[in-house]
Amino acid sequence: MKTSTFLKYGSVAFILLSVMACAATKDLLRDTYKGLSIVMPSGWVLLNHGEVSENLNTISLMDKDIQVMFNSDQFQTLLIIAQHHEPYEGLNASIKVVYRELGEFNKSSPTEILRLGSGILRLAVKDYDLKEPVRPSTISGFNAAHLRVNYTIDDSKGETHNVDSSFY
């Protein structure tokens, strides 16, 4: 099963789509501008936007308008780490941290924002299966929300991939 995790940092809005300028120690990646740091799992690699964009462009979502939105520059990618460099001919667990200004959602809670985002995702993918409903959470003391879903996506080769995603 292909696994990917998308994180929502602090009070920023929902998920999805270059890589941050970060100061990296052995396993700690830090974006001092956004105030973000993450410990990278042992053996994982930092990916660049080009490596990930190539794969994203092969994915076919059910709703083409949503696919255009996901591939737009609405979301600033801060960090992408994975078990392997892309392209990788197999399952490649990854974590992607993105940033988006709240804009019209500036009065919305993280839970409300994640519920809205999960509704959009439900329209875009096949076999949407809610594993853990949206619930309040915290990340480094910031209010956040968490959701876990499984779904299926197809690529340009006609292959189907089962995805297990956690969203924060």
Side-chain angles (χ1 to χ4, degrees):
M1 179 175 295
K2 189 175 237 181
T3 302
S4 61
T5 303
F6 298 90
L7 299 176
K8 180 184 119 359
Y9 170 66
S11 63
V12 297
F14 186 61
I15 321 303
L16 281 168
L17 289 144
S18 115
V19 169
M20 70 177 184
C22 67
T25 62
K26 181 179 174 205
D27 294 320
L28 177 68
L29 302 173
R30 177 175 291 135
D31 179 337
T32 54
Y33 178 70
K34 297 282 193 253
L36 168 73
S37 62
I38 187 170
V39 176
M40 189 160 62
S42 180
W44 284 39
V45 296
L46 181 65
L47 299 182
N48 65 50
H49 185 70
E51 287 177 285
V52 176
S53 292
E54 187 176 319
N55 264 359
L56 285 176
N57 290 331
T58 68
I59 301 301
S60 178
L61 299 178
M62 292 180 2
D63 186 303
K64 297 307 172 197
D65 291 333
I66 294 173
Q67 182 155 359
V68 168
M69 180 187 74
F70 283 172
N71 290 331
S72 74
D73 60 0
Q74 289 185 42
F75 303 96
Q76 177 188 0
T77 301
L78 299 179
L79 167 72
I80 308 167
I81 59 176
Q83 285 184 313
H84 309 281
H85 281 283
E86 294 286 352
Y88 181 76
E89 288 295 324
L91 306 178
N92 193 10
S94 63
I95 297 172
K96 180 189 244 183
V97 180
V98 298
Y99 174 86
R100 178 178 180 228
E101 293 294 330
L102 286 173
E104 68 218 48
F105 301 107
N106 66 348
K107 301 245 190 258
S108 300
S109 72
T111 304
E112 292 168 325
I113 293 168
L114 193 53
R115 279 195 185 110
L116 174 66
S118 68
I120 293 169
L121 181 64
R122 181 185 300 269
L123 298 172
V125 298
K126 296 188 307 187
D127 305 322
Y128 182 97
D129 182 18
L130 182 64
K131 294 298 182 185
E132 296 177 29
V134 176
R135 62 175 169 76
S137 183
T138 59
I139 299 174
S140 299
F142 291 96
N143 290 331
H146 175 259
L147 163 72
R148 183 168 167 245
V149 297
N150 290 353
Y151 52 90
T152 303
I153 54 175
D154 296 325
D155 65 22
S156 59
K157 298 176 190 172
E159 296 175 356
T160 297
H161 303 274
N162 297 317
V163 181
D164 180 8
S165 288
S166 288
F167 296 87
Y168 290 86

Tab-separated table of all heavy atoms in Angstrom, residues 16-76:
chain	number	residue	atom	x	y	z
A	16	LEU	N	-2.085	20.346	0.428
A	16	LEU	CA	-1.555	19.805	-0.814
A	16	LEU	C	-0.660	20.718	-1.612
A	16	LEU	O	0.026	21.404	-1.292
A	16	LEU	CB	-2.611	19.267	-1.729
A	16	LEU	CG	-3.079	17.919	-1.334
A	16	LEU	CD1	-4.340	17.539	-2.100
A	16	LEU	CD2	-2.135	16.822	-1.445
A	17	LEU	N	-0.113	20.808	-2.286
A	17	LEU	CA	0.928	21.358	-3.079
A	17	LEU	C	1.279	22.783	-2.945
A	17	LEU	O	1.238	23.699	-2.801
A	17	LEU	CB	0.565	21.157	-4.482
A	17	LEU	CG	0.637	19.766	-4.906
A	17	LEU	CD1	-0.331	19.475	-5.786
A	17	LEU	CD2	1.976	19.268	-5.000
A	18	SER	N	10.922	25.062	-4.928
A	18	SER	CA	9.886	24.627	-4.358
A	18	SER	C	10.210	24.121	-2.939
A	18	SER	O	9.513	24.384	-2.139
A	18	SER	CB	9.040	25.741	-4.274
A	18	SER	OG	7.953	25.989	-4.776
A	19	VAL	N	10.695	23.354	-2.576
A	19	VAL	CA	11.050	22.845	-1.254
A	19	VAL	C	11.686	23.969	-0.456
A	19	VAL	O	12.405	24.787	-0.992
A	19	VAL	CB	12.016	21.647	-1.384
A	19	VAL	CG1	12.612	21.243	-0.089
A	19	VAL	CG2	11.319	20.491	-2.067
A	20	MET	N	11.429	24.004	0.830
A	20	MET	CA	11.893	25.099	1.670
A	20	MET	C	13.404	25.162	1.710
A	20	MET	O	14.086	24.169	1.566
A	20	MET	CB	11.349	24.931	3.083
A	20	MET	CG	11.970	23.780	3.844
A	20	MET	SD	11.309	23.742	5.495
A	20	MET	CE	12.282	22.426	6.171
A	21	ALA	N	13.884	26.368	1.922
A	21	ALA	CA	15.296	26.537	2.223
A	21	ALA	C	15.419	26.188	3.694
A	21	ALA	O	14.812	26.826	4.531
A	21	ALA	CB	15.713	27.971	1.970
A	22	CYS	N	16.112	25.137	3.983
A	22	CYS	CA	16.131	24.688	5.377
A	22	CYS	C	17.552	24.461	5.837
A	22	CYS	O	18.434	24.179	5.044
A	22	CYS	CB	15.298	23.419	5.562
A	22	CYS	SG	15.971	21.980	4.740
A	23	ALA	N	17.728	24.608	7.113
A	23	ALA	CA	18.983	24.252	7.749
A	23	ALA	C	18.794	22.825	8.230
A	23	ALA	O	17.855	22.534	8.943
A	23	ALA	CB	19.246	25.181	8.921
A	24	ALA	N	19.638	21.920	7.817
A	24	ALA	CA	19.461	20.525	8.174
A	24	ALA	C	20.645	20.027	8.994
A	24	ALA	O	21.782	20.274	8.640
A	24	ALA	CB	19.306	19.673	6.920
A	25	THR	N	20.338	19.372	10.088
A	25	THR	CA	21.350	18.630	10.808
A	25	THR	C	21.124	17.189	10.408
A	25	THR	O	20.368	16.913	9.473
A	25	THR	CB	21.212	18.839	12.330
A	25	THR	OG1	19.943	18.349	12.744
A	25	THR	CG2	21.367	20.298	12.703
A	26	LYS	N	21.705	16.256	11.126
A	26	LYS	CA	21.601	14.850	10.743
A	26	LYS	C	20.155	14.422	10.486
A	26	LYS	O	19.843	13.899	9.430
A	26	LYS	CB	22.237	13.978	11.814
A	26	LYS	CG	22.204	12.524	11.485
A	26	LYS	CD	22.873	11.712	12.555
A	26	LYS	CE	22.685	10.243	12.254
A	26	LYS	NZ	22.760	9.442	13.444
A	27	ASP	N	19.266	14.638	11.447
A	27	ASP	CA	17.885	14.195	11.292
A	27	ASP	C	16.877	15.309	11.526
A	27	ASP	O	15.684	15.052	11.548
A	27	ASP	CB	17.585	13.053	12.261
A	27	ASP	CG	18.391	11.804	11.936
A	27	ASP	OD1	18.538	11.497	10.751
A	27	ASP	OD2	18.874	11.157	12.879
A	28	LEU	N	17.320	16.530	11.720
A	28	LEU	CA	16.423	17.644	12.001
A	28	LEU	C	16.427	18.617	10.839
A	28	LEU	O	17.473	19.087	10.412
A	28	LEU	CB	16.846	18.377	13.281
A	28	LEU	CG	16.011	19.600	13.641
A	28	LEU	CD1	14.588	19.180	14.039
A	28	LEU	CD2	16.667	20.379	14.767
A	29	LEU	N	15.243	18.884	10.305
A	29	LEU	CA	15.078	19.875	9.239
A	29	LEU	C	14.359	21.063	9.841
A	29	LEU	O	13.372	20.902	10.543
A	29	LEU	CB	14.262	19.283	8.090
A	29	LEU	CG	14.846	18.023	7.459
A	29	LEU	CD1	13.858	17.436	6.461
A	29	LEU	CD2	16.163	18.340	6.783
A	30	ARG	N	14.824	22.264	9.543
A	30	ARG	CA	14.244	23.450	10.164
A	30	ARG	C	14.063	24.549	9.127
A	30	ARG	O	14.976	24.849	8.379
A	30	ARG	CB	15.147	23.932	11.292
A	30	ARG	CG	14.659	25.199	11.957
A	30	ARG	CD	15.494	25.587	13.138
A	30	ARG	NE	15.280	24.617	14.199
A	30	ARG	CZ	16.259	24.087	14.920
A	30	ARG	NH1	17.498	24.434	14.732
A	30	ARG	NH2	15.975	23.215	15.866
A	31	ASP	N	12.865	25.116	9.102
A	31	ASP	CA	12.573	26.296	8.300
A	31	ASP	C	12.426	27.447	9.293
A	31	ASP	O	11.394	27.573	9.953
A	31	ASP	CB	11.281	26.093	7.509
A	31	ASP	CG	10.906	27.294	6.657
A	31	ASP	OD1	11.352	28.416	6.969
A	31	ASP	OD2	10.166	27.112	5.682
A	32	THR	N	13.452	28.265	9.406
A	32	THR	CA	13.427	29.324	10.411
A	32	THR	C	12.440	30.424	10.039
A	32	THR	O	11.898	31.090	10.925
A	32	THR	CB	14.830	29.923	10.610
A	32	THR	OG1	15.338	30.341	9.340
A	32	THR	CG2	15.772	28.889	11.210
A	33	TYR	N	12.163	30.618	8.764
A	33	TYR	CA	11.221	31.653	8.337
A	33	TYR	C	9.800	31.338	8.812
A	33	TYR	O	9.096	32.186	9.327
A	33	TYR	CB	11.259	31.803	6.819
A	33	TYR	CG	10.288	32.827	6.290
A	33	TYR	CD1	10.496	34.180	6.513
A	33	TYR	CD2	9.144	32.435	5.600
A	33	TYR	CE1	9.602	35.131	6.049
A	33	TYR	CE2	8.245	33.369	5.135
A	33	TYR	CZ	8.476	34.723	5.356
A	33	TYR	OH	7.586	35.645	4.896
A	34	LYS	N	9.350	30.099	8.637
A	34	LYS	CA	8.004	29.693	9.044
A	34	LYS	C	7.971	29.149	10.470
A	34	LYS	O	6.915	28.872	10.997
A	34	LYS	CB	7.445	28.623	8.093
A	34	LYS	CG	7.266	29.079	6.668
A	34	LYS	CD	6.029	29.913	6.505
A	34	LYS	CE	5.682	30.096	5.050
A	34	LYS	NZ	5.945	31.391	4.528
A	35	GLY	N	9.150	28.938	11.071
A	35	GLY	CA	9.194	28.428	12.434
A	35	GLY	C	8.884	26.949	12.526
A	35	GLY	O	8.385	26.468	13.530
A	36	LEU	N	9.188	26.201	11.489
A	36	LEU	CA	8.867	24.779	11.424
A	36	LEU	C	10.129	23.951	11.580
A	36	LEU	O	11.165	24.278	11.022
A	36	LEU	CB	8.237	24.471	10.059
A	36	LEU	CG	8.090	23.004	9.676
A	36	LEU	CD1	6.964	22.384	10.485
A	36	LEU	CD2	7.815	22.871	8.199
A	37	SER	N	10.040	22.885	12.329
A	37	SER	CA	11.120	21.902	12.357
A	37	SER	C	10.497	20.524	12.427
A	37	SER	O	9.407	20.337	12.968
A	37	SER	CB	12.069	22.146	13.538
A	37	SER	OG	11.385	22.012	14.757
A	38	ILE	N	11.172	19.560	11.846
A	38	ILE	CA	10.682	18.184	11.828
A	38	ILE	C	11.884	17.254	11.894
A	38	ILE	O	12.927	17.522	11.294
A	38	ILE	CB	9.822	17.897	10.569
A	38	ILE	CG1	9.172	16.517	10.651
A	38	ILE	CG2	10.620	18.057	9.298
A	38	ILE	CD1	8.125	16.267	9.584
A	39	VAL	N	11.743	16.181	12.642
A	39	VAL	CA	12.780	15.164	12.721
A	39	VAL	C	12.519	14.161	11.606
A	39	VAL	O	11.434	13.588	11.513
A	39	VAL	CB	12.783	14.467	14.095
A	39	VAL	CG1	13.801	13.341	14.122
A	39	VAL	CG2	13.057	15.486	15.190
A	40	MET	N	13.507	13.975	10.750
A	40	MET	CA	13.361	13.073	9.616
A	40	MET	C	13.641	11.644	10.074
A	40	MET	O	14.633	11.391	10.754
A	40	MET	CB	14.332	13.483	8.506
A	40	MET	CG	14.101	12.746	7.218
A	40	MET	SD	14.811	13.561	5.756
A	40	MET	CE	16.538	13.576	6.113
A	41	PRO	N	12.753	10.695	9.721
A	41	PRO	CA	13.001	9.299	10.077
A	41	PRO	C	14.348	8.820	9.524
A	41	PRO	O	14.770	9.232	8.440
A	41	PRO	CB	11.846	8.547	9.406
A	41	PRO	CG	10.764	9.574	9.266
A	41	PRO	CD	11.490	10.872	9.001
A	42	SER	N	15.006	7.980	10.256
A	42	SER	CA	16.317	7.459	9.871
A	42	SER	C	16.270	6.817	8.484
A	42	SER	O	15.380	6.020	8.190
A	42	SER	CB	16.767	6.426	10.906
A	42	SER	OG	18.019	5.909	10.551
A	43	GLY	N	17.216	7.189	7.635
A	43	GLY	CA	17.317	6.614	6.303
A	43	GLY	C	16.458	7.299	5.249
A	43	GLY	O	16.558	6.982	4.067
A	44	TRP	N	15.573	8.219	5.637
A	44	TRP	CA	14.732	8.917	4.676
A	44	TRP	C	15.529	10.000	3.976
A	44	TRP	O	16.612	10.386	4.417
A	44	TRP	CB	13.516	9.520	5.365
A	44	TRP	CG	12.457	8.503	5.702
A	44	TRP	CD1	12.647	7.240	6.160
A	44	TRP	CD2	11.056	8.687	5.610
A	44	TRP	NE1	11.439	6.618	6.366
A	44	TRP	CE2	10.447	7.491	6.038
A	44	TRP	CE3	10.248	9.749	5.226
A	44	TRP	CZ2	9.068	7.324	6.074
A	44	TRP	CZ3	8.882	9.592	5.264
A	44	TRP	CH2	8.299	8.384	5.675
A	45	VAL	N	14.988	10.508	2.860
A	45	VAL	CA	15.679	11.516	2.051
A	45	VAL	C	14.798	12.751	1.864
A	45	VAL	O	13.567	12.662	1.891
A	45	VAL	CB	16.076	10.947	0.665
A	45	VAL	CG1	17.084	9.818	0.811
A	45	VAL	CG2	14.857	10.471	-0.107
A	46	LEU	N	15.449	13.882	1.681
A	46	LEU	CA	14.766	15.137	1.381
A	46	LEU	C	14.563	15.193	-0.126
A	46	LEU	O	15.508	15.027	-0.891
A	46	LEU	CB	15.628	16.311	1.851
A	46	LEU	CG	15.076	17.708	1.645
A	46	LEU	CD1	13.822	17.929	2.481
A	46	LEU	CD2	16.144	18.737	2.029
A	47	LEU	N	13.322	15.359	-0.560
A	47	LEU	CA	13.025	15.430	-1.995
A	47	LEU	C	12.927	16.871	-2.437
A	47	LEU	O	12.563	17.752	-1.659
A	47	LEU	CB	11.700	14.727	-2.301
A	47	LEU	CG	11.600	13.240	-1.976
A	47	LEU	CD1	10.239	12.700	-2.397
A	47	LEU	CD2	12.710	12.455	-2.640
A	48	ASN	N	13.210	17.100	-3.711
A	48	ASN	CA	13.004	18.435	-4.266
A	48	ASN	C	11.696	18.464	-5.046
A	48	ASN	O	11.115	17.424	-5.356
A	48	ASN	CB	14.193	18.878	-5.120
A	48	ASN	CG	14.377	18.032	-6.361
A	48	ASN	OD1	13.435	17.798	-7.116
A	48	ASN	ND2	15.593	17.560	-6.588
A	49	HIS	N	11.227	19.662	-5.338
A	49	HIS	CA	9.934	19.832	-6.003
A	49	HIS	C	9.869	19.091	-7.337
A	49	HIS	O	8.848	18.501	-7.675
A	49	HIS	CB	9.647	21.313	-6.194
A	49	HIS	CG	8.300	21.580	-6.768
A	49	HIS	ND1	7.142	21.375	-6.045
A	49	HIS	CD2	7.915	22.008	-7.999
A	49	HIS	CE1	6.098	21.677	-6.810
A	49	HIS	NE2	6.550	22.057	-7.986
A	50	GLY	N	10.960	19.094	-8.085
A	50	GLY	CA	10.979	18.425	-9.389
A	50	GLY	C	10.727	16.939	-9.296
A	50	GLY	O	9.998	16.362	-10.102
A	51	GLU	N	11.326	16.295	-8.299
A	51	GLU	CA	11.135	14.856	-8.119
A	51	GLU	C	9.667	14.525	-7.873
A	51	GLU	O	9.136	13.552	-8.387
A	51	GLU	CB	11.950	14.352	-6.928
A	51	GLU	CG	13.439	14.280	-7.160
A	51	GLU	CD	14.179	13.836	-5.933
A	51	GLU	OE1	14.317	14.650	-5.000
A	51	GLU	OE2	14.611	12.668	-5.904
A	52	VAL	N	9.004	15.344	-7.083
A	52	VAL	CA	7.620	15.086	-6.718
A	52	VAL	C	6.662	15.511	-7.824
A	52	VAL	O	5.694	14.813	-8.132
A	52	VAL	CB	7.285	15.790	-5.390
A	52	VAL	CG1	5.827	15.619	-5.041
A	52	VAL	CG2	8.172	15.236	-4.286
A	53	SER	N	6.941	16.640	-8.470
A	53	SER	CA	6.059	17.141	-9.535
A	53	SER	C	5.906	16.140	-10.663
A	53	SER	O	4.822	15.957	-11.205
A	53	SER	CB	6.597	18.449	-10.110
A	53	SER	OG	6.507	19.461	-9.163
A	54	GLU	N	6.995	15.490	-11.007
A	54	GLU	CA	6.944	14.491	-12.083
A	54	GLU	C	5.935	13.398	-11.755
A	54	GLU	O	5.134	13.002	-12.589
A	54	GLU	CB	8.340	13.902	-12.292
A	54	GLU	CG	8.431	12.984	-13.496
A	54	GLU	CD	9.849	12.507	-13.724
A	54	GLU	OE1	10.781	13.316	-13.589
A	54	GLU	OE2	10.002	11.314	-14.038
A	55	ASN	N	5.951	12.919	-10.527
A	55	ASN	CA	4.992	11.888	-10.118
A	55	ASN	C	3.576	12.439	-10.041
A	55	ASN	O	2.622	11.778	-10.450
A	55	ASN	CB	5.384	11.296	-8.773
A	55	ASN	CG	6.176	10.024	-8.928
A	55	ASN	OD1	6.429	9.566	-10.024
A	55	ASN	ND2	6.575	9.459	-7.821
A	56	LEU	N	3.408	13.647	-9.479
A	56	LEU	CA	2.068	14.227	-9.359
A	56	LEU	C	1.407	14.396	-10.718
A	56	LEU	O	0.198	14.228	-10.849
A	56	LEU	CB	2.132	15.578	-8.645
A	56	LEU	CG	2.347	15.518	-7.143
A	56	LEU	CD1	2.479	16.933	-6.587
A	56	LEU	CD2	1.224	14.779	-6.450
A	57	ASN	N	2.199	14.714	-11.721
A	57	ASN	CA	1.637	14.908	-13.054
A	57	ASN	C	1.169	13.612	-13.698
A	57	ASN	O	0.473	13.643	-14.708
A	57	ASN	CB	2.641	15.629	-13.955
A	57	ASN	CG	2.834	17.066	-13.544
A	57	ASN	OD1	1.927	17.699	-13.003
A	57	ASN	ND2	4.020	17.593	-13.785
A	58	THR	N	1.524	12.468	-13.136
A	58	THR	CA	1.068	11.184	-13.689
A	58	THR	C	-0.225	10.711	-13.049
A	58	THR	O	-0.824	9.750	-13.522
A	58	THR	CB	2.131	10.083	-13.506
A	58	THR	OG1	2.256	9.775	-12.121
A	58	THR	CG2	3.473	10.492	-14.088
A	59	ILE	N	-0.661	11.375	-11.978
A	59	ILE	CA	-1.862	10.955	-11.266
A	59	ILE	C	-3.103	11.517	-11.951
A	59	ILE	O	-3.140	12.672	-12.351
A	59	ILE	CB	-1.822	11.439	-9.797
A	59	ILE	CG1	-0.598	10.864	-9.097
A	59	ILE	CG2	-3.100	11.093	-9.054
A	59	ILE	CD1	-0.520	9.357	-9.077
A	60	SER	N	-4.116	10.701	-12.061
A	60	SER	CA	-5.378	11.117	-12.663
A	60	SER	C	-6.468	11.086	-11.595
A	60	SER	O	-6.841	10.015	-11.118
A	60	SER	CB	-5.731	10.161	-13.815
A	60	SER	OG	-6.953	10.509	-14.376
A	61	LEU	N	-6.955	12.276	-11.226
A	61	LEU	CA	-8.045	12.355	-10.249
A	61	LEU	C	-9.385	12.317	-10.977
A	61	LEU	O	-9.473	12.620	-12.173
A	61	LEU	CB	-7.930	13.639	-9.427
A	61	LEU	CG	-6.646	13.780	-8.613
A	61	LEU	CD1	-6.627	15.106	-7.873
A	61	LEU	CD2	-6.489	12.623	-7.633
A	62	MET	N	-10.443	11.970	-10.272
A	62	MET	CA	-11.771	11.862	-10.888
A	62	MET	C	-12.310	13.227	-11.302
A	62	MET	O	-12.994	13.340	-12.307
A	62	MET	CB	-12.744	11.177	-9.927
A	62	MET	CG	-12.408	9.718	-9.712
A	62	MET	SD	-13.492	8.791	-8.599
A	62	MET	CE	-14.743	9.852	-8.064
A	63	ASP	N	-12.028	14.265	-10.550
A	63	ASP	CA	-12.512	15.613	-10.849
A	63	ASP	C	-11.349	16.437	-11.383
A	63	ASP	O	-10.400	16.730	-10.673
A	63	ASP	CB	-13.096	16.244	-9.580
A	63	ASP	CG	-13.739	17.586	-9.842
A	63	ASP	OD1	-13.046	18.482	-10.364
A	63	ASP	OD2	-14.927	17.744	-9.509
A	64	LYS	N	-11.418	16.814	-12.650
A	64	LYS	CA	-10.308	17.512	-13.304
A	64	LYS	C	-10.088	18.914	-12.737
A	64	LYS	O	-8.957	19.398	-12.681
A	64	LYS	CB	-10.520	17.575	-14.824
A	64	LYS	CG	-10.554	16.200	-15.470
A	64	LYS	CD	-9.328	15.373	-15.107
A	64	LYS	CE	-9.444	13.940	-15.585
A	64	LYS	NZ	-8.521	13.033	-14.952
A	65	ASP	N	-11.153	19.599	-12.303
A	65	ASP	CA	-10.988	20.918	-11.686
A	65	ASP	C	-10.197	20.805	-10.385
A	65	ASP	O	-9.351	21.656	-10.084
A	65	ASP	CB	-12.349	21.576	-11.412
A	65	ASP	CG	-13.062	21.976	-12.687
A	65	ASP	OD1	-12.374	22.231	-13.706
A	65	ASP	OD2	-14.305	22.036	-12.673
A	66	ILE	N	-10.457	19.765	-9.626
A	66	ILE	CA	-9.722	19.550	-8.384
A	66	ILE	C	-8.266	19.213	-8.701
A	66	ILE	O	-7.348	19.677	-8.032
A	66	ILE	CB	-10.381	18.461	-7.523
A	66	ILE	CG1	-11.757	18.952	-7.038
A	66	ILE	CG2	-9.493	18.075	-6.342
A	66	ILE	CD1	-12.578	17.913	-6.322
A	67	GLN	N	-8.032	18.442	-9.759
A	67	GLN	CA	-6.664	18.107	-10.143
A	67	GLN	C	-5.889	19.375	-10.495
A	67	GLN	O	-4.740	19.538	-10.085
A	67	GLN	CB	-6.655	17.132	-11.322
A	67	GLN	CG	-5.246	16.718	-11.711
A	67	GLN	CD	-5.206	15.386	-12.405
A	67	GLN	OE1	-6.223	14.736	-12.602
A	67	GLN	NE2	-4.019	14.965	-12.764
A	68	VAL	N	-6.513	20.286	-11.222
A	68	VAL	CA	-5.867	21.555	-11.552
A	68	VAL	C	-5.547	22.331	-10.275
A	68	VAL	O	-4.457	22.878	-10.113
A	68	VAL	CB	-6.752	22.392	-12.507
A	68	VAL	CG1	-6.241	23.816	-12.626
A	68	VAL	CG2	-6.823	21.721	-13.873
A	69	MET	N	-6.494	22.349	-9.327
A	69	MET	CA	-6.270	23.055	-8.062
A	69	MET	C	-5.100	22.437	-7.292
A	69	MET	O	-4.243	23.148	-6.787
A	69	MET	CB	-7.531	23.011	-7.201
A	69	MET	CG	-7.364	23.725	-5.863
A	69	MET	SD	-8.767	23.506	-4.764
A	69	MET	CE	-8.534	21.815	-4.235
A	70	PHE	N	-5.048	21.105	-7.202
A	70	PHE	CA	-3.973	20.445	-6.478
A	70	PHE	C	-2.615	20.719	-7.107
A	70	PHE	O	-1.605	20.761	-6.418
A	70	PHE	CB	-4.207	18.937	-6.406
A	70	PHE	CG	-5.237	18.520	-5.387
A	70	PHE	CD1	-5.666	17.216	-5.331
A	70	PHE	CD2	-5.774	19.412	-4.476
A	70	PHE	CE1	-6.608	16.810	-4.397
A	70	PHE	CE2	-6.717	19.029	-3.540
A	70	PHE	CZ	-7.134	17.719	-3.504
A	71	ASN	N	-2.574	20.883	-8.421
A	71	ASN	CA	-1.309	21.120	-9.113
A	71	ASN	C	-0.990	22.610	-9.262
A	71	ASN	O	0.005	22.969	-9.860
A	71	ASN	CB	-1.317	20.442	-10.483
A	71	ASN	CG	-1.252	18.933	-10.357
A	71	ASN	OD1	-0.695	18.413	-9.409
A	71	ASN	ND2	-1.844	18.233	-11.303
A	72	SER	N	-1.841	23.466	-8.718
A	72	SER	CA	-1.609	24.906	-8.816
A	72	SER	C	-0.612	25.357	-7.757
A	72	SER	O	-0.162	24.570	-6.939
A	72	SER	CB	-2.931	25.662	-8.641
A	72	SER	OG	-3.315	25.638	-7.276
A	73	ASP	N	-0.323	26.643	-7.766
A	73	ASP	CA	0.619	27.176	-6.786
A	73	ASP	C	-0.089	27.778	-5.576
A	73	ASP	O	0.460	28.604	-4.878
A	73	ASP	CB	1.549	28.192	-7.440
A	73	ASP	CG	0.797	29.372	-8.034
A	73	ASP	OD1	-0.449	29.403	-7.945
A	73	ASP	OD2	1.455	30.264	-8.580
A	74	GLN	N	-1.337	27.352	-5.304
A	74	GLN	CA	-2.065	27.825	-4.121
A	74	GLN	C	-1.382	27.409	-2.836
A	74	GLN	O	-1.527	28.047	-1.811
A	74	GLN	CB	-3.487	27.253	-4.098
A	74	GLN	CG	-4.409	27.809	-5.114
A	74	GLN	CD	-5.805	27.241	-4.885
A	74	GLN	OE1	-6.275	27.122	-3.761
A	74	GLN	NE2	-6.466	26.873	-5.966
A	75	PHE	N	-0.683	26.306	-2.891
A	75	PHE	CA	-0.048	25.745	-1.706
A	75	PHE	C	1.465	25.809	-1.887
A	75	PHE	O	1.985	25.347	-2.880
A	75	PHE	CB	-0.480	24.288	-1.505
A	75	PHE	CG	-1.963	24.118	-1.393
A	75	PHE	CD1	-2.723	23.778	-2.506
A	75	PHE	CD2	-2.601	24.313	-0.184
A	75	PHE	CE1	-4.089	23.618	-2.406
A	75	PHE	CE2	-3.976	24.155	-0.076
A	75	PHE	CZ	-4.716	23.817	-1.190
A	76	GLN	N	2.156	26.372	-0.908
A	76	GLN	CA	3.607	26.437	-0.947
A	76	GLN	C	4.159	25.215	-0.237
A	76	GLN	O	3.904	25.002	0.947
A	76	GLN	CB	4.093	27.709	-0.258
A	76	GLN	CG	5.583	27.818	-0.193
A	76	GLN	CD	6.038	28.991	0.664
A	76	GLN	OE1	5.243	29.725	1.215
A	76	GLN	NE2	7.340	29.140	0.778
